[in-house]
Amino acid sequence: MPVPPEAHGLGPHVVGQRVVVRRILPGETGPSGGPAMTDLLGTCLAWGDGSCVVAPEQGDPVTIRLADIVSGKPVPPRPSPRLRVSPLEAQTRALALWPDLETEHHGAWLLRHSPTSTARRANSVLAFGPSGVEDDLDAVVQWYAGRTGRPIAAVITGSPEHAFFRDLGWGAESNDDDTLFQLASVASARRGLPEWEAILEEDGDLVVARIGDLASGVAAYADDWVGFRSIEVAESARRRGLGLQVMAALLEWGAERGARTAYLQVLGDNAPALSLYAGMGFVTHHAYRYLAPPTA
């Protein structure tokens, strides 16, 4: 007899959902001498008449007799490809926002310096994992001594590198909250955005959008990703939707170049900005923070 649906969490209600199903392979013997079994992960396409149909993520749909189901359950949808990108790769893609960036690898750590920007993202060592080399900290301090004077480390919150720098006495660089790296699909982010009247100033794969002297923002395109920074609205012009207009202009610019993934970074305690971006479909990919050595 088929296993009752309530016994394994499966049934007609899972049609259209992603499921994992453990099933008997009729006529085959397993290592212990009993029936052979296998697991199948995929989307349930149909359920009824004594069988169900599951489409694996690769290959043709499989029809399974309900009597052969041993166990199973619905599982969460597979994360989108953009969310499966590592934090280090995401951060590396974001370097496109500073075309004049000077970079140097020290093992797996990436030292960054911009001669034209004071942004921490452009003037810190990206330490998202062990450096893999000796004297890594000394090299970082020396490199920034000749540029910004004070080294800053960007580390994944709660990571071994976070603990490493904290154990050396490094603390929050500006006593602010974590920085959240957020992603969205360009298509979903553009949906429902208002008409815009921004002036676009292009410079290769970088663009600045301005609405007079009231609002502005910067975007960069590279490898089908478009990123944003410096989205600013004059205090006297806030709550008028100008920030959305700037984002709409920059997103359209990126979409015209073929961008499918949008990214930005925002402080975790910036509630208005987080609300704005959440409404556009942005979700947090990873959180990190900036650490600096104690001042003398």
Side-chain angles (χ1 to χ4, degrees):
M1 292 181 61
V3 178
E6 61 273 12
H8 47 53
L10 300 177
H13 63 283
V14 301
V15 173
Q17 297 185 41
R18 191 166 179 250
V19 296
V20 60
V21 180
R22 169 156 290 192
R23 61 191 175 104
I24 294 172
L25 297 175
E28 297 186 27
T29 302
S32 63
M37 301 183 196
T38 188
D39 292 332
L40 179 64
L41 175 66
T43 301
C44 181
L45 302 180
W47 185 286
D49 296 327
S51 66
C52 70
V53 180
V54 176
E57 293 173 353
Q58 292 185 345
D60 297 327
V62 177
T63 299
I64 306 170
R65 291 196 317 147
L66 299 186
D68 293 332
I69 295 178
V70 176
S71 62
K73 62 181 179 180
V75 295
R78 189 181 186 190
S80 70
R82 65 181 56 89
L83 293 180
R84 297 199 295 272
V85 168
S86 72
L88 180 58
E89 181 180 345
Q91 291 281 345
T92 302
R93 284 174 173 266
L95 300 181
L97 285 164
W98 287 274
D100 65 349
L101 203 63
E102 176 189 358
T103 62
E104 182 177 318
H105 280 280
H106 188 67
W109 288 1
L110 181 65
L111 300 104
R112 307 172 290 183
H113 170 62
S114 169
T116 60
S117 173
T118 60
R120 293 177 298 180
R121 282 180 283 164
N123 292 282
S124 59
V125 55
L126 192 59
F128 277 24
S131 69
V133 297
E134 296 183 359
D135 301 323
D136 45 19
L137 186 59
D138 291 341
V140 167
V141 172
Q142 182 177 356
W143 198 82
Y144 283 102
R147 292 167 175 81
T148 62
R150 187 187 187 202
I152 300 174
V155 297
I156 293 286
T157 304
S159 67
E161 290 67 45
H162 183 190
F164 169 74
F165 282 99
R166 289 302 299 265
D167 288 346
L168 293 172
W170 291 41
E173 190 270 336
S174 294
N175 295 317
D176 51 25
D177 208 341
D178 286 349
T179 298
L180 308 181
F181 192 107
Q182 298 199 317
L183 296 177
S185 78
V186 169
S188 65
R190 295 176 69 199
R191 195 172 298 124
L193 287 182
E195 295 292 327
W196 52 273
E197 299 179 357
I199 302 297
L200 299 182
E201 304 168 4
E202 296 185 77
D203 183 8
D205 287 329
L206 194 78
V207 67
V208 178
R210 301 187 192 277
I211 302 177
D213 58 358
L214 300 178
S216 62
V218 179
Y221 168 80
D223 300 325
D224 89 2
W225 281 37
V226 60
F228 313 99
R229 66 172 172 87
S230 305
I231 308 299
E232 300 174 350
V233 178
E235 188 172 355
S236 62
R238 291 175 184 170
R239 301 185 183 279
R240 289 164 48 183
L242 297 184
L244 279 174
Q245 287 191 40
V246 168
M247 287 295 295
L250 297 177
L251 278 163
E252 183 169 327
W253 176 86
E256 289 174 352
R257 280 152 184 75
R260 292 178 292 177
T261 297
Y263 66 89
L264 52 83
Q265 301 183 58
V266 60
L267 284 174
D269 58 1
N270 189 343
L274 287 171
S275 177
L276 171 71
Y277 299 139
M280 297 171 62
F282 282 90
V283 297
T284 297
H285 180 271
H286 63 273
Y288 69 99
R289 61 182 55 183
Y290 295 101
L291 302 178
T295 56

